[in-house]
Amino acid sequence: MKFDIITIFPEFFESPLSCGMLRLAKEKGAITINTVNPRKMTTDGVVDDYQFGGGAGMVFKPEPLTKALNSVITKESTLINLTPKGHRLTQNMVKEFTRYPHIIIICGRYKGIDERINEIFEPLEISIGDYVLSGGEVAALALIEGITRLLPGVLGNKDSADSDSFQTGLLDAPIYTRPCNFKDSKVPDILRSGDHRRIAEWRRKESLAMTIKRRPELLSSTVYSKKDFEILLEVLHE
Ligand code: 6GU
């Protein structure tokens, strides 16, 4: 999978891409990441200008972005414009993106990019959540990390991605490691019982309980057993 990041801050990506999972994925050849700086596509170094119609905030000019896009675009490319106005990113979208061979990510800055870039290149417009960032760079990292960890051969243990929160449609159950006693608090006995069926039941119950408390809207897209319904009713009555 190849990523091209269109950004006026290429140096922003250096350290995050040089540690942990992303670094390993690069070393294994699962991903290649390249940055393109639209400022380098200008003669005067200017990439922003005032808004037509007035109003606070500058706009990313269309010409440097167009040059940057044209320098990397092919028939295989999927374009993503990162913007707080975009469709909110979900794990299902992240999963879908793992099937694309080449993703070009536009990191907006200022008030946003000139609308004609959206008209001409028709990128997917994506937001990573309901809050405002100063630019798409942080969002680009989130997107790249979300995709890369799902690529074959990147995570050591395939199960560790399959059992993630959201991948199952529910929030994860609590997890514990040694020591068994820590500051007067004990690991739940059931997790040390060796009874895998009851452990799976306990985890399912904790997941359902946590999801209905914190993120009830996630429950609508999950498949339930009769047992799940019993657990949900029990939790609602607690
Ligand atoms: Cl993709 N960009 C910016 N600037 N702010 C955001 C965002 C993206 N997603 C959430 N907030």
Side-chain angles (χ1 to χ4, degrees):
M1 158 107 49
K2 181 164 191 251
F3 295 100
D4 276 296
I5 310 170
I6 316 266
T7 174
I8 56 168
F9 295 124
E11 66 277 18
F12 174 90
F13 293 92
E14 282 166 18
S15 99
L17 297 179
S18 66
C19 44
M21 184 276 300
L22 285 171
R23 171 193 153 134
L24 278 173
K26 278 201 326 191
E27 285 172 0
K28 286 182 180 168
I31 57 168
T32 56
I33 302 186
N34 173 53
T35 54
V36 183
N37 187 350
R39 208 184 288 286
K40 294 258 172 71
M41 306 283 172
T42 67
T43 48
D44 55 5
V46 178
V47 294
D48 62 324
D49 204 343
Y50 295 97
Q51 267 190 75
F52 276 114
M58 303 295 277
V59 182
F60 213 130
K61 287 165 66 64
E63 306 96 316
L65 278 176
T66 299
K67 284 194 180 137
L69 284 166
N70 283 336
S71 75
V72 288
I73 204 166
T74 72
K75 279 205 177 70
E76 300 268 81
S77 310
T78 302
L79 268 57
I80 295 178
N81 174 19
L82 290 171
T83 164
K85 302 196 288 193
H87 301 273
R88 192 165 52 197
L89 186 66
T90 63
Q91 187 64 14
N92 279 338
M93 289 157 77
V94 171
K95 245 190 281 183
E96 175 67 19
F97 294 153
T98 62
R99 295 157 15 111
Y100 303 167
H102 180 210
I103 295 182
I104 301 173
I105 302 172
I106 306 168
C107 299
R109 275 272 149 186
Y110 318 109
K111 193 82 185 131
I113 68 174
D114 188 288
E115 186 60 27
R116 288 165 292 186
I117 295 295
N118 290 322
E119 282 168 21
I120 295 164
F121 291 95
E122 299 185 334
L124 300 166
E125 293 181 68
I126 288 175
S127 153
I128 61 162
D130 295 340
Y131 42 83
V132 179
L133 305 169
S134 296
E137 281 77 9
V138 166
L141 272 181
L143 178 65
I144 291 169
E145 179 159 321
I147 294 170
T148 303
R149 61 192 296 288
L150 297 182
L151 297 176
V154 170
L155 288 192
N157 179 356
K158 188 182 175 298
D159 285 347
S160 65
D162 287 346
S163 68
D164 285 339
S165 283
F166 297 106
Q167 199 83 11
T168 63
L170 297 174
L171 304 181
D172 272 354
I175 54 171
Y176 301 87
T177 186
R178 290 182 288 184
C180 194
N181 287 295
F182 180 67
K183 294 189 188 292
D184 294 331
S185 178
K186 260 185 94 218
V187 172
D189 287 334
I190 177 108
L191 294 178
R192 304 177 60 222
S193 68
D195 185 337
H196 297 293
R197 194 183 59 83
R198 285 186 55 229
I199 291 172
E201 271 178 27
W202 180 87
R203 286 183 171 151
R204 184 76 181 171
K205 178 173 178 178
E206 293 293 322
S207 281
L208 286 162
M210 187 61 79
T211 307
I212 201 164
K213 276 191 200 132
R214 289 191 180 163
R215 300 291 307 279
E217 79 282 9
L218 292 178
L219 288 171
S220 60
S221 53
T222 308
V223 182
Y224 310 101
S225 62
K226 185 157 164 278
K227 179 88 188 160
D228 285 343
F229 274 112
E230 287 165 12
I231 292 169
L232 285 167
L233 281 175
E234 202 181 304
V235 172
L236 280 171
H237 282 104
E238 267 166 18

